[in-house]
């Protein structure tokens, strides 16, 4: 990435906004993410809000590199937290 991109990327800190979420929250994060390290982001957030799924060996692109694990985590979370209306 160019130096300009690096300086502009992630200039907005949304961590305080996440703590205001009052519905079930799932955070899926790779434990090898070098762009947004898990110790500075997901692990900190999940101390106060949400459920954290850590993808072992996952970098910043886990939806592509670990698609099966990400999809399984999402489906499990939805099954536990979403009630679908019954058809009549």
């Amino acid at each position: 990435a160019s130096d300009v991109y690096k300086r502009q990327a992630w200039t907005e800190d949304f961590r305080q906004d996440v703590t205001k979420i009052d519905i079930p929250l799932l955070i899926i994060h790779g434990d090898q993410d070098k762009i947004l390290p898990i110790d500075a982001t997901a692990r900190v957030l999940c101390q106060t809000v949400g459920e954290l799924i850590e993808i072992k060996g996952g970098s910043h692109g886990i939806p592509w590199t670990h698609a099966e694990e990400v999809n399984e985590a999402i489906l499990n979370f939805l099954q536990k937290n979403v009630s679908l209306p019954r058809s009549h």
Side-chain angles (χ1 to χ4, degrees):
S2 73
D3 288 337
V4 172
Y5 173 77
K6 288 179 185 177
R7 285 193 303 268
Q8 292 177 349
W10 307 108
T11 58
E12 186 70 32
D13 186 348
F14 294 104
R15 288 176 287 188
Q16 292 300 318
D17 296 327
V18 173
T19 63
K20 297 174 187 172
I21 296 172
D22 63 354
I23 59 173
L25 174 66
L26 174 63
I27 299 173
I28 306 172
H29 205 289
D31 67 356
Q32 298 299 309
D33 190 333
K34 303 292 187 226
I35 296 172
L36 295 170
I38 195 168
D39 285 329
T41 55
R43 287 183 183 148
V44 173
L45 291 173
C46 283
Q47 291 175 4
T48 57
V49 62
E51 175 183 342
L52 172 62
I53 302 292
E54 293 186 28
I55 304 294
K56 186 172 177 61
S59 63
H60 193 68
I62 57 173
W64 296 275
T65 60
H66 294 75
E68 283 189 32
E69 292 171 76
V70 170
N71 289 339
E72 182 178 343
I74 293 169
L75 290 173
N76 289 339
F77 179 80
L78 291 173
Q79 287 176 343
K80 290 189 298 189
N81 293 286
V82 176
S83 298
L84 297 175
R86 294 182 177 198
S87 57
H88 297 286

